[in-house]
């Protein structure tokens, strides 16, 4: 009983570490593909557009990692590796989708998203929905 609890607790910690690392990587990726400093935009400038974009990315990565954990088979090592691989795939697909959306829309999407001068920009809602939709597609592919 105690050994099972220790094993399961260790697995939960390992999955949490993988999830946090992938979420942090996702945040860095969003920061790289958008102009300006995302941390500055959110925590100092309090830009709701930048916050919504980052939040949708965090949720998207969380969805993918949670589904990778949920559908994992085999030992903890294999399950953790699958979570990392599928999380990285999700991040790559979300970045590609963002770039494609930017190519298909007028202006530079990244610049529109961090521009807080006009209040909430409708483009950020489309981009946020794209992040969640892509995450759901990747997650569904895991089942």
């Amino acid at each position: 009983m105690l050994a099972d609890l220790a094993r399961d607790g260790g697995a939960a910690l390992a999955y949490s570490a993988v999830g946090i690392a992938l979420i942090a990587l996702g945040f860095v990726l969003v920061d790289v593909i958008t102009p300006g400093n995302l941390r500055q935009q959110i925590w100092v400038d309090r830009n709701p557009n930048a916050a919504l974009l980052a939040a949708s990315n965090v949720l998207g990565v969380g969805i993918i990692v949670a589904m990778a954990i949920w559908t994992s088979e085999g030992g903890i090592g294999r399950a953790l590796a699958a979570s990392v691989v599928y999380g990285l795939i999700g991040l790559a697909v979300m970045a590609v989708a963002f770039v494609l959306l930017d190519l298909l829309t007028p202006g530079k999407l990244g610049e529109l998203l961090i521009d807080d001068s006009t209040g909430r920009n409708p483009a950020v809602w489309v981009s946020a929905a794209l992040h969640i939709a892509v995450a759901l597609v990747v997650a569904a592919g895991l089942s």
Side-chain angles (χ1 to χ4, degrees):
M1 169 91 172
L2 194 53
D4 290 340
L5 182 60
R7 184 191 69 236
D8 292 345
L13 286 173
Y15 282 125
S16 297
V18 166
I20 289 169
L22 287 168
I23 288 168
L25 182 59
F27 186 88
V28 169
L29 183 61
V30 170
D31 194 14
V32 167
I33 63 176
T34 56
N37 183 314
L38 194 56
R39 288 171 293 183
Q40 171 82 21
Q41 289 288 324
I42 296 169
W43 280 277
V44 177
D45 299 339
R46 298 178 183 253
N47 181 336
N49 294 324
L52 181 57
L53 178 65
S56 67
N57 185 269
V58 167
L59 288 170
V61 174
I63 289 167
I64 293 166
V65 172
M67 186 58 83
I69 293 167
W70 184 267
T71 60
S72 64
E73 297 176 355
I76 185 70
R78 183 169 186 248
L80 286 170
S83 297
V84 169
V85 168
Y86 292 124
L88 292 174
I89 289 169
L91 287 173
V93 173
M94 283 191 276
V96 168
F98 182 88
V99 170
L100 288 175
L101 181 64
D102 192 21
L103 291 173
L104 296 172
T105 56
K108 295 300 293 172
L109 187 56
E111 292 172 8
L112 295 173
L113 296 176
I114 65 163
D115 179 14
D116 192 28
S117 65
T118 60
R120 295 189 192 269
N121 191 315
V124 75
W125 292 94
V126 174
S127 182
L130 178 71
H131 278 301
I132 301 300
V134 167
L136 290 170
V137 168
V138 172
L142 298 174
S143 60

